[in-house]
Amino acid sequence: MPKAHLITGLDIGTSVIKTLVVQKSSNTELEVISQVSEPAAGTRKGVVIDTEKVSNILQNILERVKTETGARIDSVYLNVGGSHIFSTSSRGLVSVSRADQKISEEDVNRVLQAAQTFSLPSNKEIFDVFPKEFIVDGEKGIKEALGMQGVRLEAEVLVLGGFSPYLKNLTQAVLNSDLQILDMIPSPISSARACLSPRQKELGVAILDIGAGTSGLAVFEEGDLIHLAIFPIGSGNITNDIAIGLKTDIDVAERIKIEHGSCLLSPTKAARKKEKIEIGEPEPLVFSQKQLVNIIEARVSEIFGQVNKELKKISREKLLPAGVVLTGGGSKLPKIVELAKKELKLPCRLGKPQGFLDFEKDPRLATVCGLVLEGADLETEKSSSTLRRTNLFSKLKRIFKIFIP
């Protein structure tokens, strides 16, 4: 099995750490070689707080992959999450350097670098830059400025950054497992790669990835990322609310959520006064379906309230033609789409990873599937004899930081 054709995605989440290994065939199709998941330890709210525990789990996963497939994994495409991630718009301005006023690759690089030159607290750093448009001599809306003629070149970009200690913990845990990090991609962007179509991104769409400890939002318009935010609320909070509201054990609360949970009360269940579950306690736990729905609806509505706040910041509240796509483990709650439509006042649907027949029904794998798809895209670009110009405008990385121990 040629190493060069193996692409591995690594999703370090709050409750589960997942890997997906695929082999890229000559016709660019991706064949799943291995998918391994392990319960997480050493993580909280999407960030690594104990590098040793995470590193041990990663080594166990790598051993399982090697046992199952005989393949040794030495590099990964890694997700980055947590509510410390921030996005901000910025603008860079340079003068075109050539005498004939033709915009060169050096000019484009300089203007993108200039867009990253702004004040940040010492404990925060930029890890990703997404160009939105170029402006040549005041003419806006230009996606590809290379080769055009002008005197003044500007760039509007979306800058992504995070809390440096958390980013260092994440990279250190992976490096300690003898893995090389090929790229770091925010979880909502990975999920968007797996669940959204180019047409949706062009029209205007938001993806909401509801995980165990966090919920990530990414907004796209005209094919570009225009906003990103991660909230410290997830499906784990719903479980905690059920445990407190029904005064029961956390494992029982999780079981109740999975077996009986719903975001809205259905007419048939409304007719039932009580719902009994045998849970092995001295006395069976008795609760009404309405009581359970009220607990779940309140927390899910809070998540949607945060989404509305973020959309309002960028003047996109109720203004996304392709609506909102829900994915992640939390999106499996019954009637969550109906509640989303009610709260967000937008078209809403469930998003599941596309391109992997085995996983197309499981939104929990959206991030890890998106990671390998992003990896496949990057490797295709690298192997092309003539690089597409979109390479230049896709992303500027500060990956060198990853390799500093």
Side-chain angles (χ1 to χ4, degrees):
M1 191 180 296
K3 280 186 184 178
H5 289 164
L6 287 185
I7 301 171
T8 304
L10 173 60
D11 174 10
I12 299 179
T14 305
S15 63
V16 182
I17 296 176
K18 313 178 193 81
T19 58
L20 178 63
V21 185
V22 301
Q23 184 175 16
K24 193 174 181 181
S25 59
S26 55
N27 59 357
T28 71
E29 287 186 2
L30 300 179
E31 178 191 352
V32 175
I33 302 298
S34 175
Q35 198 280 307
V36 177
S37 299
E38 289 271 355
T43 61
R44 183 183 298 141
K45 296 284 182 185
V47 300
V48 174
I49 55 170
D50 189 323
T51 57
E52 189 176 341
K53 285 182 180 178
V54 173
S55 188
N56 289 339
I57 293 170
L58 293 181
Q59 287 167 6
N60 291 339
I61 287 174
L62 294 174
E63 281 299 316
R64 281 182 60 186
V65 172
K66 190 174 181 180
T67 302
E68 288 177 13
T69 67
R72 184 178 179 277
I73 305 303
D74 53 20
S75 60
V76 294
Y77 291 91
L78 176 67
N79 76 314
V80 55
S83 58
H84 66 101
I85 301 298
F86 64 89
S87 67
T88 184
S89 292
S90 181
R91 177 180 284 203
L93 166 65
V94 296
S95 297
V96 176
S97 58
R98 286 175 50 154
D100 62 2
Q101 298 181 352
K102 197 171 184 181
I103 296 170
S104 65
E105 188 171 326
E106 181 193 352
D107 294 324
V108 174
N109 287 334
R110 283 194 302 118
V111 76
L112 292 176
Q113 193 62 46
Q116 297 177 68
T117 309
F118 57 89
S119 178
L120 272 179
S122 60
N123 58 3
K124 294 194 175 180
E125 65 182 79
I126 297 167
F127 64 86
D128 221 336
V129 178
F130 288 80
K132 293 192 282 189
E133 69 170 356
F134 291 96
I135 304 165
V136 179
D137 293 343
E139 190 66 35
K140 296 184 178 183
I142 298 166
K143 297 295 182 184
E144 298 185 9
L146 191 72
M148 296 182 74
Q149 283 194 316
V151 176
R152 189 177 68 173
L153 176 64
E154 297 171 79
E156 284 276 1
V157 303
L158 185 72
V159 176
L160 304 186
F163 187 54
S164 299
Y166 288 157
L167 294 173
K168 185 179 178 183
N169 281 356
L170 174 65
T171 56
Q172 200 64 56
V174 177
L175 293 173
N176 288 349
S177 306
D178 295 324
L179 288 170
Q180 179 188 356
I181 301 170
L182 298 175
D183 203 354
M184 278 172 55
I185 303 163
S187 301
I189 296 175
S190 300
S191 298
R193 175 62 184 86
C195 301
L196 299 182
S197 67
R199 185 164 182 262
Q200 287 174 313
K201 290 181 179 181
E202 184 67 30
L203 289 169
V205 67
I207 187 162
L208 179 63
D209 185 345
I210 306 173
T214 61
S215 297
L217 175 73
V219 186
F220 296 84
E221 193 172 71
E222 294 183 356
D224 296 320
L225 178 72
I226 62 169
H227 191 63
L228 183 134
I230 299 179
F231 321 121
I233 316 169
S235 60
N237 295 88
I238 299 170
T239 305
N240 295 344
D241 292 346
I242 293 170
I244 294 167
L246 300 184
K247 301 176 182 62
T248 187
D249 182 77
I250 196 76
D251 293 328
V252 176
E254 180 68 18
R255 180 184 155 197
I256 290 170
K257 181 181 78 174
I258 292 169
E259 294 180 5
H260 301 272
S262 179
C263 292
L264 293 170
L265 197 62
S266 64
T268 53
K269 288 185 177 179
R272 303 179 194 173
K273 297 294 180 186
K274 296 286 180 182
E275 186 79 43
K276 293 185 180 181
I277 303 175
E278 296 291 335
I279 56 173
E281 291 184 355
E283 293 181 8
L285 180 66
V286 180
F287 62 92
S288 71
Q289 186 68 27
K290 184 177 180 182
Q291 185 183 4
L292 177 61
V293 168
N294 285 344
I295 293 169
I296 295 172
E297 184 181 355
R299 184 61 80 173
V300 177
S301 294
E302 183 185 357
I303 295 172
F304 293 146
Q306 293 293 324
V307 172
N308 269 329
K309 273 186 190 175
E310 294 299 322
L311 293 179
K312 195 171 184 178
K313 281 182 190 176
I314 57 169
S315 305
R316 296 297 185 280
E317 190 181 18
K318 306 177 189 175
L319 292 174
L320 294 172
V324 178
V325 175
L326 307 175
T327 191
S331 69
K332 297 180 78 172
L333 275 168
K335 295 195 176 292
I336 193 168
V337 172
E338 288 85 342
L339 181 59
K341 288 177 180 177
K342 176 184 167 186
E343 296 288 331
L344 301 175
K345 307 290 192 294
L346 282 168
C348 298
R349 70 171 184 85
L350 288 180
K352 295 169 185 177
Q354 303 299 311
F356 300 93
L357 292 175
D358 297 337
F359 308 137
E360 284 187 352
K361 293 183 179 178
D362 195 348
R364 293 173 299 181
L365 297 172
T367 297
V368 76
C369 288
L371 287 169
V372 297
L373 289 169
E374 287 274 9
D377 292 345
L378 288 169
E379 293 193 10
T380 299
E381 290 174 356
K382 285 176 188 174
S383 63
S384 298
S385 55
T386 306
L387 287 175
R388 293 176 293 168
R389 290 324 316 161
T390 51
N391 260 2
L392 187 59
F393 311 127
S394 58
K395 288 187 281 184
L396 288 180
K397 295 291 182 182
R398 289 174 62 189
I399 284 298
F400 61 87
K401 279 187 170 286
I402 290 168
F403 302 103
I404 300 174

